[in-house]
Every structure is written in structure tokens, then in C-alpha cells.
Amino acid sequence: NTDLHGYGRGDELVYLDARKRFPLPDASFDFVFSEHMLEHLTYAEGQRCLRECLRVLKPGGRIRIATPSLERLAALYAPEPSEVQRRYLRWAVKALAHETDAELPGVVVNNFFRSWGHRFIYDPQTLRHALGRAGFADVEERPVGELERHLSEEPEFNAYETVVLEARRP
């Protein structure tokens, strides 16, 4: 496990600033997993990070990226929101009760862009492009699975707001 802020489990943790060269050898990993991290980088920093992921993966190694979905956030503006979208709006606004209690897409989307240090929110097409540009092949969207623990107390909302893509180092 790696982390910028020292969160994690003792000896298993390696300090890593994802904006810089990873302190890891070339072609040394079979799998890279990133969950709700890439959106904290600018697009250019994200590209450097993805190229570093490619560098440390063995040929044939796989990457799995889970990140918030701009497409799903935009879908909150649907003329007839689904039941999950309505519940997601209520849940997200409840977290902002100190600012507003308006269960509106604009409130949720604005908060999403300015809170938690987010710098660039991807939609599936943009993340697919970024992975391809970094050198990855066979990019495929996957459902949120057992690896993803973001919002573990609200798995339905994690599945709603998260997009997961996997790819392979050629």
C-alpha cells in the first residue's frame, strides 16, 4: 500500500506522492489498484501518475482505477430522476446540512467539485482516453466490486457515483 499522508498499516505502507516518479522499480508489479485518488490530481498530474503505473507494472500487468463519475453526477439533472438518484441527492445534501438543505443537483455537483481536494473529475470516456494515452491497452469498464471500499457505509451510493476501468500493460 502507498499513501501521501501516512494513512495505512505500519510496515506495509510506502510513502508515495502520485504527482512524482514512484519510488518503485520498473516492471515490478502484477496489479495496480487506485480508489478515489486520481480525481485529486490535475489532468496533467493524472497522466504522469498513469504513466508511472504503466512503468511499474510487468508486461501483461493490470490496472484498476475507481474514481467518481462526472457522467453520473451530470445524470442527477435527469428530468425524471431514478429512485437511487433521489436517495443519493438526499444523502449528499444531508452531509452539507450546515450549508444548505436544498436537495438539488446543483448543490451536490458544486460541493463535489470543491470539496475533498478534487482537481479533475473524470467521465468514463475521458478516463478511457487518459489510460490509452498513458500506454494502456484493452481498457474496459467494470462494475464496482469487492475491492472498492470508498463509502463502505453506503455501498449503493458508492456504486452510483463511481466508475471503474481496468486496463492492461501491453
Side-chain angles (χ1 to χ4, degrees), residues 42-67:
T42 66
Y43 184 80
E45 290 168 343
Q47 278 298 157
R48 281 193 296 278
C49 176
L50 292 174
R51 285 192 300 273
E52 279 297 290
C53 290
L54 185 79
R55 180 183 67 78
V56 301
L57 278 171
K58 297 175 184 174
R62 300 200 53 84
I63 187 170
R64 183 177 175 99
I65 302 282
T67 188

Side-chain angles (χ1 to χ4, degrees), residues 5 8 11 16 33 46 57 87 105 109 122 125 140 144 155-156 164:
H5 300 293
D11 295 340
L16 186 139
F33 172 64
L57 278 171
R87 286 196 318 274
V109 171
Y122 292 82
Q125 298 86 352
E140 296 179 2
V144 171
E156 177 184 40
V164 176

Side-chain angles (χ1 to χ4, degrees), residues 36-43 67-74 109-124 126-127 161 163:
H36 284 257
M37 186 283 297
L38 198 62
E39 69 275 9
H40 294 271
L41 306 175
T42 66
Y43 184 80
T67 188
S69 171
L70 180 58
E71 184 177 67
R72 300 220 181 107
L73 288 171
V109 171
N110 270 286
N111 183 65
F112 210 91
F113 272 95
R114 67 178 175 76
S115 293
W116 309 294
H118 291 164
R119 305 289 306 276
F120 190 93
I121 308 297
Y122 292 82
D123 60 23
T126 306
L127 184 54
E161 78 176 22
V163 61

Side-chain angles (χ1 to χ4, degrees), residues 82-93:
S82 70
E83 181 58 32
V84 170
Q85 289 170 322
R86 284 193 292 277
R87 286 196 318 274
Y88 181 82
L89 283 170
R90 276 192 302 276
W91 169 80
V93 169

